[in-house]
Amino acid sequence: MTEPTVYQLSSPGRHGPTLPALDVPLAPLPDAQFLRAADALPLPELSELDVVRHFVRLSQKNMSIDTTFYPLGSCTMKYNPKINEKVAGLSGFTNLHPLQDADMTQGAMQVLLELQVYLAEISGFAAITLQPAAGAQGELTGVLIMRAYHLDRGDVKRTKILVPDSAHGTNPATTTMAGLQVVELPSDSRGNVDLVALKTALDDTVAGLMLTNPNTLGLFEEHVLDVTRLVHEAGGLVYGDGANLNAIIGIAKPAELGIDVMHFNLHKTFSTPHGGGGPGAGPVGVVEKLAPFLPGPLVTVEMDEEMAGLLAAGHEHALHEHDHYRLAWYTPSKSIGRVRSYWGQFGVLVRAYTYIRMHGAEGLRRIAENAVLNANYIKARLLAEGSYPVAFAGRTCMHEFVAQGILAGAPDIHTMDIAKRLMDYGYHPPTVYFPLIVKEALMIEPTETESKATLDAFADALIQIAQEAREQPALLKEAPHAAETKRLDEVRAARELILCRC
Amino acid sequence: MPFIANTDAERADMLAAIGVSQIGDLFHDVPEGYRYPTLDLPEALSELEALRELGALAAENENLDEVSSFLGAGAYRHFIPSVVDFLAGRSEFYTAYTPYQPEVSQGTLQAIFEYQSMIAALTGMEAANASHYDGATATAEAVIMALNAVKGKRSRVVLSPTLHPMFREVVRTYTQGMGLDIVGDHEKDADFHALLALCDANTACVVVQNPDFLGTIHSPSELQDLADAVHARGALLAVAVDPISLGLLTPPGQYGADIVMGEGQALGIPLSFGGPYLGFFAMRESNLRKSAGRIAGETVDADGQRGYVLTLSTREQHIKRSRATSNICSNQALMALRAAIYLAVMGKKGLRSVAEQCYHKAQYAATRISMIPGYQIVNRGPFFKEFVVRCPLPVDETKDHLLVQWGILPGYDLTTEYPDLGQCLLVCVTEMTTREEIDALAEALAEVADLAAEETE
Amino acid sequence: MSYQYDPNARYAKTHDWVRMEEGLAVCGISDYAQHALSDVVYIELPEIGAELIQGEVYTTVESVKAAEEVYAPVSGKVVDVNPDLADTPEQLNSEPYAAWIIKVAPSNPEELDALMLADAYEAFVQAEEAGGH
């Protein structure tokens, strides 16, 4: 059933909530040219119930984590704990204006400070900015920091960024935005960065390398220490794309592996809701020498001696137990500048903070272990059955793996057909046609929160679909049959652009 | 392990199916000496403990329920109808992701399409995208779009000094590697004529704000003249707006703007200490393909039924990679949903009445304050919901006195960003502000003026 | 897979064709190229008067899933663009050799001699397909 739009539902004269009567005298309005005619505001006219029914019905047209297994590779669609919604909605947070004096917002700043400290501890970095609004903005922040670092040293030749061919599209796009040039690196036969190509590419014009580890093939970089060492020896910096941190949280610290700067995706690893496409949050961690370049303001501690002593002794968690300090804003000396208004996606940061507090060190490590276990389990089930090729099947995958929609005995079936058919089985499809270097890619990331029963049912569905592909290919070609709509015409949408309707 | 479903027995079965004996074996690719580092983090909390801790942290703040606030400066306290929280709180919306698979994401897609429609309608533009991170980043993306949309390679960008200071700073951060010449905003009193004088044949765009950061509403005829002159030089005009003001004021689409963007937080999104907010972005159709960000479009399915998809995706990083003009992927979809619900439920009549109340209450407040000896309203033209007050005492002293003695946050201190104005405070009044609060503010400011007079005696 | 070839055209390795007509070099993309792109939804038309250099990008053609660069098969000045493609870019799919994109006044007509004839191009395409691209 198609749902009418808010404009189709509109009925002249209807209205929603009303405001209290105006309690001040009417003032003269500016000249007519300043004003929009009262009837020239083209918004819909609806009752509150109209609006409620409309958006409730729309919500029911979505697949979501709360309704469906959602193994969208590279997106870490894990369960979003409900406590996070509750705490982010506390009026002590939601009714806080970002420009209130710091003395009025110490509780909120405490959340930010501790989150900075915890992310630094988890990753091994010296300093963290919470400001970036999403992973891509974190990348831009990181690459601008790399650029600023080289320029600050007077090393103006370094204008190239090395990007593996398996990288997310954001990596090359970010590089271009930062005014630097992309040099693509091939992958080797085991899915790692090709060390020979890396050595050839490295010279004194390279600002750095962008490394996703585990990479988008779901593989841990086998020569990660060699890769980071080679880049450093050539005077470059290593950017870590933290999109896949869920695989190694608590298992390894990226900074210890030689990463100099990395963004976190709080909406992936730290379970803040994806919101239908956002908001996310993309804090960035850096090693000591890059800390002066972070965007500001950051939260810092003005403390007494006892507190300073505890911190110096490495008791970061003491910050949580003492109140011998005041929190303040500060901007690092060589900051690249702010990357957004105010302090960051605060509501998202509160959720991530709560998530970390509920896990502790041990709990965080269990996340990675179970995410990797779940991915390897689906992979093992598919390999045992044999219909689906898996890229780099011989290697242990991390939190995700890339299967291929290339089925023996079903030459006309493509990954998209399998994806659409999965909808009929009640599943959100995996990521399709990414990474680009794998033909007919079907990238599966189950996450740690799914049970074995769910994983088995999903593997059974994929296997069943492979059989349907051989026996009744039309069933796949015409899929979905049971979704909200039949297959949608994307070509028509792009040719006859209809982007709004009033 | 608060949110992990599998039991030890299930894990054992899974390990057997994989063919390894323990989970640790799955991490053999991680260099041995680096595995399982120590994490010095506080002990895990139960849900009840976490609620207590977070409740305490929230209570440590003095939020706007506890004081009387006239603080705006780009983030505003407006009425949020209950349905906005209720509907945006449906987890079918907030636990979905980007609608890459349209057949199972029609809810999100249609909501985005309706959001785009209402933003285009509100701004008077032909198209809108699905959102940017906030007003500042939407402005940076507007500048980058203009650089790509103008003919030939141009490198000058003219910013108005009354464009939000954070928007200006973010434009500079975003474009620092592009070799641009960003001018205009260092001359704090640059008017449209001064900005136009800076707009040369190498200029890609002029960016202004209306109502501007200091609250002043600029006349549509002057803005139209500016647009015509900017266009004659082959550049684009980008206008940052307060969307609430468009319930009352002439939309920028009617005075020649090529891009209309801004902070959408006022549309049903809580202040939440600065985020998540909403960058809205509207444009003329001719520039669509040079724009960044996701866009939903209408189409039909195999049965000819109407449906929605993400379209024009060839502009985006996942296809264009190093040739893309922006790297944005995640946006603020849930915030756009809130704005869509807000605009739908407030509707034609409701938004008008919000805008009118902001206007009338702000005029009342300004009149009250202007009658207090020692205070002066600085705005030369009409203003919408914010205005600038020159104070007899330094602004920080004034603020401290009002907060401590009266529980009033009187506004935003302009002395750092606009030192030429003198001791000035930016006062914001919305439909949330009551007459009693305004009267109390006037009384409190009068008390400060008396203190100032005593000091000088 | 078999593709159409225009025997009167010459071809670049970038899958662009060029045909001399009344002293002008008429340029488009090959049947193989349009197949690889699938349904074309948009082409950005270059400006008349633009100076092209052989082998350099002069425009981009887009399908739903890809945005591919189009390379100039000859050097010279653009004297005409095909206005029909603005509204019906799908002509590039249906009639790749009739749906020309630009006409160029070649500055060095000898450049054409280095391009492939239809037979050689067909062999080139077959080799490329066998190579798995």
Side-chain angles (χ1 to χ4, degrees):
Chain A
M1 271 286 282
T2 55
E3 168 69 15
T5 68
V6 283
Y7 283 100
Q8 289 171 324
L9 291 165
S10 177
S11 181
R14 242 180 234 175
H15 62 83
T18 50
L19 297 178
L22 188 66
D23 56 0
V24 301
L26 285 175
L29 288 171
D31 294 350
Q33 65 144 329
F34 285 82
L35 304 176
R36 171 171 225 159
D39 58 353
L41 180 58
L43 288 179
E45 296 172 87
L46 299 163
S47 71
E48 186 167 318
L49 179 57
D50 290 336
V51 172
V52 169
R53 290 219 175 112
H54 174 66
F55 285 100
V56 169
R57 284 192 298 248
L58 285 186
S59 75
Q60 291 166 337
K61 291 172 179 284
N62 266 3
M63 277 190 177
S64 63
I65 298 171
D66 281 6
T67 53
T68 318
F69 181 45
Y70 208 123
L72 192 63
S74 204
C75 298
T76 313
M77 302 300 287
K78 61 171 78 175
Y79 169 64
N80 304 143
K82 299 307 161 195
I83 179 181
N84 296 347
E85 300 310 301
K86 199 165 172 175
V87 298
L90 293 169
S91 64
F93 294 136
T94 57
N95 282 333
L96 215 50
H97 193 289
L99 298 173
Q100 282 179 251
D101 291 341
D103 286 333
M104 300 178 77
T105 61
Q106 291 285 301
M109 292 169 77
Q110 174 87 26
V111 170
L112 299 181
L113 176 83
E114 286 185 43
L115 186 57
Q116 286 173 193
V117 170
Y118 300 156
L119 291 178
E121 178 62 21
I122 287 164
S123 58
F125 290 110
I128 303 279
T129 172
L130 300 174
Q131 208 176 89
Q137 210 193 18
E139 274 183 36
L140 179 63
T141 304
V143 174
L144 288 175
I145 287 171
M146 290 162 71
R147 176 179 175 276
Y149 167 78
H150 290 305
L151 289 179
D152 183 60
R153 293 183 305 118
D155 195 350
V156 296
K157 290 193 304 297
R158 296 188 181 268
T159 56
K160 292 182 195 152
I161 297 277
L162 310 181
V163 180
D165 59 3
S166 59
H168 293 111
T170 48
N171 291 185
T174 300
T175 301
T176 304
M177 265 181 111
L180 303 171
Q181 288 86 51
V182 178
V183 177
E184 193 170 273
L185 287 183
S187 301
D188 71 11
S189 61
R190 290 177 61 79
N192 299 306
V193 170
D194 186 319
L195 286 180
V196 177
L198 174 64
K199 284 178 193 161
T200 310
L202 282 170
D203 60 24
D204 61 0
T205 65
V206 172
L209 163 79
M210 295 184 88
L211 186 70
T212 308
N213 187 28
N215 65 18
T216 61
L217 298 161
L219 303 173
F220 192 91
E221 182 64 47
E222 287 175 299
H223 313 295
V224 61
L225 297 174
D226 294 326
V227 170
T228 56
R229 179 179 50 78
L230 286 168
V231 175
H232 290 153
E233 282 173 1
L237 297 167
V238 183
Y239 184 90
D241 181 329
N244 294 339
L245 183 64
N246 211 49
I248 58 167
I249 184 167
I251 305 292
K253 294 188 179 184
E256 292 181 357
L257 299 173
I259 306 293
D260 298 296
V261 44
M262 184 187 94
H263 76 262
F264 302 77
N265 295 86
L266 299 188
H267 48 297
K268 295 179 182 176
T269 318
F270 298 95
S271 189
T272 70
H274 285 70
V284 168
V286 292
V287 294
E288 193 78 48
K289 68 183 176 189
L290 298 181
F293 301 93
L294 284 173
L298 313 172
V299 180
T300 189
V301 187
E302 292 171 350
M303 68 185 102
D304 65 14
E305 279 174 26
E306 181 187 352
M307 189 70 216
L310 282 167
L311 277 187
H315 297 293
E316 275 90 356
H317 59 264
L319 280 175
H320 191 71
E321 291 149 16
H322 286 259
D323 52 3
H324 302 293
Y325 59 90
R326 175 187 179 274
L327 302 178
W329 299 109
Y330 101 108
T331 296
S333 56
K334 297 174 182 173
S335 175
I336 59 162
R338 62 166 62 249
V339 296
R340 54 156 294 152
S341 304
Y342 314 112
W343 328 121
Q345 308 260 45
F346 179 73
V348 177
L349 303 174
V350 172
R351 289 172 171 90
Y353 169 85
T354 308
Y355 188 72
I356 292 173
R357 292 299 314 276
M358 287 190 68
H359 280 80
E362 179 71 8
L364 292 178
R365 182 161 63 81
R366 299 274 186 224
I367 288 172
E369 289 181 339
N370 284 275
V372 170
L373 176 68
N374 281 2
N376 276 285
Y377 180 66
I378 300 183
K379 179 181 160 216
R381 288 248 4 230
L382 293 185
L383 286 176
E385 190 274 338
S387 288
Y388 293 87
V390 171
F392 304 98
R395 289 193 53 186
T396 303
C397 73
M398 299 302 283
H399 63 307
E400 64 191 358
F401 66 98
V402 183
Q404 293 176 281
I406 302 172
L407 302 172
D412 293 335
I413 294 298
H414 295 281
T415 281
M416 192 57 84
D417 304 315
I418 296 162
K420 300 298 183 195
R421 184 62 181 151
L422 271 169
M423 298 173 182
D424 292 334
Y425 283 81
Y427 296 111
H428 192 286
T431 294
V432 293
Y433 298 105
F434 185 83
L436 306 176
I437 57 171
V438 176
K439 260 192 176 178
E440 299 288 332
L442 197 60
M443 187 193 216
I444 300 169
E445 180 182 12
T447 84
E448 74 280 5
T449 55
E450 299 298 334
S451 68
K452 176 174 180 292
T454 300
L455 306 181
D456 277 326
F458 177 72
D460 290 344
L462 273 175
I463 290 164
Q464 179 77 34
I465 288 169
Q467 191 181 335
E468 290 172 354
R470 290 185 287 267
E471 293 166 4
Q472 305 163 265
L475 206 53
L476 277 71
K477 281 286 171 197
E478 288 160 23
H481 304 272
E484 269 301 319
T485 68
K486 293 289 176 60
R487 220 177 278 199
L488 285 151
D489 187 346
E490 297 187 36
V491 173
R492 176 177 164 142
R495 281 186 184 153
E496 301 169 20
L497 290 174
I498 302 172
L499 308 178
C500 56
R501 255 184 213 281
C502 297
Chain B
M1 290 186 281
F3 309 109
I4 289 170
N6 282 327
T7 62
D8 286 340
E10 284 166 327
R11 265 188 288 276
D13 287 349
M14 291 163 74
L15 287 169
I18 296 164
V20 296
S21 56
Q22 53 190 351
I23 287 183
D25 296 346
L26 299 174
F27 292 98
H28 59 81
D29 285 339
V30 179
E32 206 174 339
Y34 297 82
R35 263 179 250 165
Y36 296 117
T38 305
L39 299 190
D40 183 14
L41 294 173
E43 288 300 313
L45 302 177
S46 66
E47 177 166 347
L48 183 56
E49 291 165 312
L51 281 173
R52 284 186 187 133
E53 290 247 359
L54 271 294
L57 286 165
E60 264 186 57
N61 305 307
E62 266 186 88
N63 74 68
L64 298 192
D65 288 343
E66 299 160 320
V67 291
S68 174
S69 171
F70 295 84
L71 192 52
Y76 301 105
R77 195 168 60 111
H78 283 288
F79 169 60
I80 300 177
S82 307
V83 295
V84 178
D85 283 332
F86 174 80
L87 293 169
R90 286 194 63 99
S91 64
E92 297 93 329
F93 283 129
Y94 77 72
T95 72
Y97 201 15
T98 305
Y100 295 121
Q101 294 288 347
E103 295 84 359
V104 292
S105 310
Q106 283 300 297
T108 295
L109 282 161
Q110 185 169 336
I112 292 173
F113 183 84
E114 293 178 3
Y115 161 81
Q116 291 172 184
S117 300
M118 289 187 278
I119 291 294
L122 197 57
T123 55
M125 301 300 283
E126 291 162 354
N129 75 14
S131 70
H132 285 288
Y133 308 131
D134 66 1
T137 61
T139 305
E141 295 280 8
V143 167
I144 294 169
M145 184 182 105
L147 291 165
N148 288 294
V150 292
K151 285 187 181 153
K153 198 170 162 51
R154 296 181 173 212
S155 60
R156 175 171 275 202
V157 171
V158 180
L159 302 181
S160 160
T162 53
L163 178 62
H164 194 299
M166 288 181 183
F167 292 17
R168 291 187 270 124
E169 188 178 342
V170 172
V171 168
R172 286 192 166 83
T173 306
Y174 263 53
T175 61
Q176 61 191 268
M178 299 179 187
L180 301 186
D181 169 30
I182 299 176
V183 297
D185 60 331
H186 292 311
E187 295 162 46
K188 290 298 179 197
D189 55 352
D191 60 8
F192 291 167
H193 292 289
L195 295 179
L196 198 54
L198 294 167
C199 179
D200 60 11
N202 186 37
T203 300
C205 65
V206 174
V207 189
V208 301
Q209 183 169 328
N210 188 38
D212 68 25
F213 181 68
L214 304 176
T216 302
I217 314 170
H218 296 274
S219 102
S221 60
E222 279 179 38
L223 282 153
Q224 181 71 61
D225 291 346
L226 176 68
D228 292 343
V230 167
H231 294 157
R233 288 159 170 78
L236 302 188
L237 178 67
V239 181
V241 288
D242 171 358
I244 296 288
S245 74
L246 298 179
L248 181 64
L249 303 179
T250 304
Q254 285 180 23
Y255 49 75
D258 300 285
I259 308 165
V260 184
M261 69 287 162
E263 180 51 69
Q265 174 268 330
L267 303 173
I269 297 166
L271 282 166
S272 196
F273 204 40
Y277 285 176
L278 168 68
F280 67 88
F281 192 100
M283 67 205 114
R284 303 207 178 276
E285 244 179 45
S286 53
N287 291 324
L288 261 177
R289 289 179 191 274
K290 304 293 180 185
S291 72
R294 289 173 177 146
I295 298 181
E298 186 184 301
T299 186
V300 294
D301 74 1
D303 290 345
Q305 296 291 311
R306 190 191 66 206
Y308 302 91
V309 296
L310 290 178
T311 193
L312 288 171
S313 56
T314 41
R315 301 164 302 123
E316 294 185 58
Q317 45 75 28
H318 66 279
I319 291 176
K320 273 219 171 133
R321 297 178 75 88
S322 65
R323 290 178 290 140
T325 58
S326 170
N327 69 357
I328 187 169
C329 29
S330 279
N331 56 17
Q332 302 290 106
L334 193 67
M335 304 296 119
L337 173 70
R338 290 186 74 98
I341 297 165
Y342 175 85
L343 289 169
V345 77
M346 295 309 285
K348 186 173 184 163
K349 192 168 178 220
L351 193 72
R352 177 91 185 180
S353 108
V354 170
E356 284 177 349
Q357 291 216 1
C358 288
Y359 178 83
H360 292 298
K361 289 180 183 234
Q363 313 305 310
Y364 173 76
T367 306
R368 284 293 316 258
I369 294 168
S370 68
M371 292 189 303
I372 310 167
Y375 291 90
Q376 206 183 344
I377 306 300
V378 175
N379 304 65
R380 273 170 285 186
F383 49 88
F384 176 59
K385 69 183 184 196
E386 287 177 289
F387 54 92
V388 178
V389 177
R390 190 169 289 131
C391 305
L393 274 189
V395 177
D396 52 352
E397 287 178 36
T398 309
K399 279 175 60 184
D400 283 351
H401 183 84
L402 263 67
L403 185 62
V404 174
Q405 302 298 324
W406 292 78
I408 294 175
L409 279 173
Y412 180 71
D413 183 350
L414 290 168
T415 41
T416 310
E417 271 130 4
Y418 296 88
D420 299 349
L421 289 176
Q423 299 175 164
C424 280
L425 189 63
L426 182 64
V427 177
C428 174
V429 177
T430 70
E431 81 282 9
M432 301 288 280
T433 320
T434 63
R435 181 177 185 147
E436 288 71 33
E437 287 178 298
I438 295 169
D439 291 342
L441 172 68
E443 216 179 309
L445 288 173
E447 186 178 280
V448 175
D450 291 343
L451 291 175
E454 282 167 28
E455 270 180 31
T456 50
E457 272 165 21
Chain C
M1 181 121 191
S2 72
Y3 302 100
Q4 293 170 23
Y5 300 90
D6 177 354
N8 298 319
R10 290 206 174 233
Y11 299 84
K13 286 181 179 174
T14 46
H15 305 290
D16 305 286
W17 59 258
V18 55
R19 207 165 50 212
M20 289 306 294
E21 291 176 10
E22 297 166 2
L24 295 179
V26 181
C27 308
I29 60 169
S30 73
D31 189 37
Y32 172 82
Q34 71 80 15
H35 261 282
L37 267 164
S38 77
D39 298 307
V40 173
V41 297
Y42 179 71
I43 181 162
E44 188 176 331
L45 293 170
E47 282 180 43
I48 292 175
E51 290 287 347
L52 305 185
I53 296 170
Q54 187 183 36
E56 294 197 351
V57 175
Y58 72 91
T59 192
T60 305
V61 59
E62 297 183 4
S63 67
V64 169
K65 300 288 178 211
E68 293 295 339
E69 295 180 324
V70 186
Y71 299 86
V74 288
S75 305
K77 182 183 274 193
V78 178
V79 295
D80 200 3
V81 298
N82 184 349
D84 295 348
L85 295 179
D87 290 331
T88 51
E90 55 269 33
Q91 286 180 26
L92 290 169
N93 295 120
S94 55
E95 303 174 276
Y97 298 105
W100 58 278
I101 301 169
I102 51 169
K103 293 183 181 175
V104 176
S107 54
N108 181 8
E110 285 164 23
E111 283 176 348
L112 264 77
D113 298 342
L115 299 177
M116 290 178 271
L117 291 166
D119 289 350
Y121 177 62
E122 184 169 358
F124 173 76
V125 166
Q126 282 168 355
E128 198 151 276
E129 288 230 300
H133 286 282

